[in-house]
Every structure is written in structure tokens, then in C-alpha cells.
Amino acid sequence: MNTKKTVKGNRKVLLKDVAAGAQVSITTASRALSQPDKVQPETLARIKAAALKLGYMPNGAARALRSRRTRLIGTVLPTLEYAIYIRKVEALQRILSMNGYSLLVTASGYSLQEEFQQARTLVERGVEGLVLVGGVHHPGLITMLEENEIPVITTYTYHAEGRYPCVGFDNVGVASKAVGHFMDLGHTRIAMVAGITRDNDRAGGRVEGFKAALAAAGLELPPGYLIEKPYNVAAGREALRSLIALDRPPTAVFCASDVLAFGVLVECTAKGIDVPGQMSVIGFDNLELCAHFPPGITTIEVPATEMGEGAAHYLIGRLSGQSVSEHVELQADLILRSTTAPPPRAQAARKARAASAGARAR
């Protein structure tokens, strides 16, 4: 929706339009947006809703946007609880700081509506550019950025012909790498513990890649082999319990995050399931703990630092009037450690062959 067309013609939305939409006086509307604690909660909510619907931008933010001298960059993360996002933010902030910019960080809780609200707040504070995660966003967010000429770059996804500038990787292809490794080892009963795919194109892409890799190899995806869970250890443990309760449990599990993989491995230990002897596990992100968690976790390495640096260089270049690459693809590599091995039947066959060879040698 083009928010400028919610009032007459294409003129800029004014405070009086917000007041009319909320059925209050202009004075009350002004007070609500500048001193919200002095307005009744119900009235405040009505005024904020009208401002959001109309795409109203306070005068202070408008002045900052015109001057373009705030030297502020904003970013909205899905969460502040996950270390991989912090790694990206540290790289982003480092490059921005070296070039005289400051970074404002907010979180959306994986909600597109909340991401829109947080982005509005950042724009109202005068950010000159915005870094987002993923390629799916509230339509009002992109409209707002375009109308206010705020350059934006997305991270964690890559689409060569995508609508938005991006620096990221192919989640579909990366998931196929994990499944391919399992199949190379001889696994055919492969399950996935995915993230919640609603409003999350990164999680959705990994599921798509997982399914596509199985289909290409002629492998089935039995009922119960694909589980969506929030990114936390307890959820990973729950998922593993569900998988081993199946009539034909999987011999390999691909987890859409290392946090879920930690949960799967903890539950394997609790249930006496040997990893990788009885169950192979692959994570996603390559958090620092993966190299030290016994056994070392095989995982996909997300190029978080490179994404942060790339996003910073893009916005700095755009704001400086330089020519910059709009779509940058990074590699997310499979890091082999100790949580993957051939399935139990293949290991048994190999031991039998070795024993037979030894007997013949004697």
C-alpha cells in the first residue's frame, strides 16, 4: 500500500490528517506523539494507529532526513538472544564506526509487524540507512523506506534478481549440502528439525532445500520426519524425543540451527543414543561452542561477519554516492567434525567385512 495515497492525491501526510483519522484535535495528536505519557492510553493507541495507517512521519524525523547529517544507521534483528546475530552486528558496527557512523539496534521477535514498528522508530530517530534480516517484510515497511529515500540492504538471504539489495547466502542450496553429506555417508532415513517457517524465509528456504535434496535422490520424507521448533535447546530435546518415538526412527538429523542441534545432542546423551554411532547430527551457524561441544559438531558455517561488513560497506557507499554492488552472494560451508558417520547398518557391514577379511588372512 502506498501510504501517501491514503490522503488526498499524493500530498505528504500531515499531523491534521492523523488527528482527523483518530477523531481528536491537532493539539491532542501532537501531544500524543511528542509527550505520550500525558495522553490517555486509549486515545494514544488510537492516534498511533492512525499515524501508522497513514504513514505519518514526525517533523523532527523529516528534518533529520532532509539534512542527512545524523550519521546513524539502524538495524532490526529477529532476536537479541542468538549469538550469530551479535557476531554480524559487531562486524557491522566496527566498519560503520571506522567511517564515522553510529549504529542503532532493535529486535522484532520474528514478527513482521513488529519489525515494521521498529523500523519506523529508527526512521523517526533519523537513521540514514537500514540493515534488515531476510527478504520477506511487511509491505508498509518497504513503502516507508522508499518514500523517505532510506537505502536498505537485506542479509541472510541471497537472490540474484531480488527486489532489495542483499548480502547473504542461498539457504536452499546450503540445506542441500547437509542432506548430501548424510547421503554420501549412506543415510536414507534423514529427518529435519526446522525453525518456525511462518514469516521466516530463511527457515523456509532451508526446509525447501531439505525436501528438494531428498526428492532429487528419490528418498521419501516419512510422516513425523520434519518438525518445526523455535530456536532453543529445550525445543531441540523435544524434537529428538518425537523422532525416536517413531516406528522407524531416523538415523540422521539436520537441525536448522546449532541451538536446536545442542538440544538434540543433549537428549541423545540422556537417552543413551551414541552420536555418531547410532545417530548423526548436523547443525547450522557454526557457533563457537560447536568446536568444543563433545563431540565436535558438524555444522554449516554462516558468514555472519562477512554479512555485517558487506552491509556496512554497501550503505556507506550508497550514502557517499559511490557505485556499489546490489546483490552479493557469500558462501556458507559445511564444517565436518565428529557428529556424522555412516548409519549403524553400514557400520555393522563394514565391521563384518573387516572381520571376514581378517579371518581369511589368518
Side-chain angles (χ1 to χ4, degrees), residues 182-234:
F182 281 144
M183 291 190 294
D184 289 343
L185 291 171
H187 291 276
T188 57
R189 288 152 49 192
I190 305 170
M192 180 177 186
V193 183
I196 304 300
T197 56
R198 180 183 178 186
D199 292 339
N200 187 330
D201 59 330
R202 291 89 62 208
R206 293 167 201 175
V207 169
E208 181 184 344
F210 171 74
K211 290 180 175 179
L214 292 180
L219 298 179
E220 64 175 337
L221 179 61
Y225 267 44
L226 176 59
I227 300 175
E228 290 192 14
K229 289 288 185 180
Y231 294 135
N232 61 66
V233 173

Side-chain angles (χ1 to χ4, degrees), residues 247-283:
D247 290 339
R248 295 184 74 244
T251 59
V253 182
F254 170 45
C255 299
S257 79
D258 287 337
V259 173
L260 288 171
F262 295 154
V264 166
L265 292 169
V266 168
E267 193 64 20
C268 281
T269 299
K271 299 296 185 184
I273 299 171
D274 179 61
V275 177
Q278 295 172 278
M279 183 77 74
S280 287
V281 179
I282 294 179

Side-chain angles (χ1 to χ4, degrees), residues 354-362:
S356 176
R360 288 195 301 272
R362 288 192 297 271

Side-chain angles (χ1 to χ4, degrees), residues 336-350:
L336 299 178
R337 294 194 178 99
S338 303
T339 55
T340 53
R345 66 180 182 279
Q347 295 182 43
R350 185 173 58 185

Side-chain angles (χ1 to χ4, degrees), residues 92-124:
L92 175 64
Q93 179 171 281
R94 174 169 47 80
I95 300 300
L96 290 174
S97 179
M98 289 169 57
N99 288 272
Y101 288 86
S102 296
L103 180 67
L104 300 180
V105 182
T106 64
S108 68
Y110 291 95
S111 163
L112 298 187
Q113 180 65 41
E114 182 62 22
E115 181 188 51
F116 181 21
Q117 296 279 14
Q118 293 298 327
R120 275 186 60 85
T121 298
L122 291 171
V123 172
E124 289 171 0

